[in-house]
Structure formats: C-alpha cells, structure tokens
Amino acid sequence: MAQYRVELYRDARGYSQVLEFFNTLKRSNPKLLAFAQRLLKNLEEHGPDLRPPLAKPLKGLQAPIWELRHPSGLRLYYWRQGATLFVVAAGEVKKDDKPDPALLELAVRAYRESQRSAN
C-alpha cells in the first residue's frame, strides 16, 4: 500500500493542465502515459525519498517545485503539501534541455493558490 497520496492539481474553475496532458498522451503516445503513471506510482510509494535521476528540485523558482523525470523527456512538475500529499500541477515532454517556462509559471501559480486555500 502506498505511503503517500498524489493528486492532480485543478484550478478554481476545475481545469487541470496535467490531466489534459495525460489525455493527450493517452491518444497520441500510450507508452509515455504508462511511463507517467509509473512515475506517479513511485512518488506514492517513496515520496520524498525519490532522488535523481527520478526526481529533482527546480532551482530559481518562487516555490518549492520538483520535477519527476523520465529519460524520454517526460516531466511532471509537483510539490509536497503537508506530510503525505504530493500535488502534480503540470506535465510535458521536453523538446530541449530547458523546461517550458509557461508550465513552470503555471506550477508556481498553482502552488501559491494551494497555499492560500490551505490557510
């Protein structure tokens, strides 16, 4: 049984970039979707004990955003909320070395919104 919980972030209107990303992968590349599901399962089972190359913190952001990684370029951006919850806000398949800045900004905004809601 998993020690941790993973949720997909939804904004106030119910929109989830990561859920939309998964739906796109389901249609276009089911193999990558399976990799993404495996990454989420690892996060549920190992939580903060995941280390590179599977998980790494992203530096230079205004929030504690981490990246789940797969060699295919698949990336999932998430943060830890409390002791046992991880929230995944965005996902992409990187085409070059740098993450999509718009997705990182989305993840930071989602993190800030979740902190306002929690207080």
Side-chain angles (χ1 to χ4, degrees):
M1 186 168 158
Q3 288 186 297
Y4 301 94
R5 232 170 16 108
V6 173
E7 289 183 2
L8 304 181
Y9 177 79
R10 290 181 183 268
D11 68 16
R13 297 172 308 197
Y15 174 75
S16 172
Q17 185 280 338
V18 72
L19 187 57
E20 191 171 295
F21 173 64
F22 288 162
N23 287 333
T24 300
L25 287 180
K26 184 177 182 180
R27 290 187 304 275
S28 65
N29 196 333
K31 188 174 182 178
L32 276 181
L33 178 61
F35 292 149
Q37 291 168 332
R38 193 170 314 136
L39 286 172
L40 295 178
K41 186 79 170 156
N42 277 328
L43 187 58
E44 282 182 337
E45 291 174 358
H46 303 287
D49 294 330
L50 282 181
R51 296 287 180 245
L54 288 180
K56 79 172 207 181
L58 296 175
K59 304 208 185 304
L61 299 178
Q62 301 290 316
I65 304 297
W66 284 64
E67 140 182 286
L68 278 175
R69 306 158 50 94
H70 185 269
S72 65
L74 175 70
R75 300 293 188 264
L76 301 174
Y77 304 110
Y78 72 98
W79 67 87
R80 185 174 185 175
Q81 183 119 359
T84 61
L85 176 63
F86 292 88
V87 181
V88 181
E92 70 173 328
V93 178
K94 286 176 33 175
K95 293 175 179 47
D96 45 4
D97 279 347
K98 297 195 185 277
D100 181 341
L103 285 181
L104 293 182
E105 181 56 35
L106 182 146
V108 169
R109 280 194 320 269
Y111 171 79
R112 288 180 182 154
E113 178 60 33
S114 72
Q115 298 310 297
R116 283 193 292 271
S117 298
N119 293 330

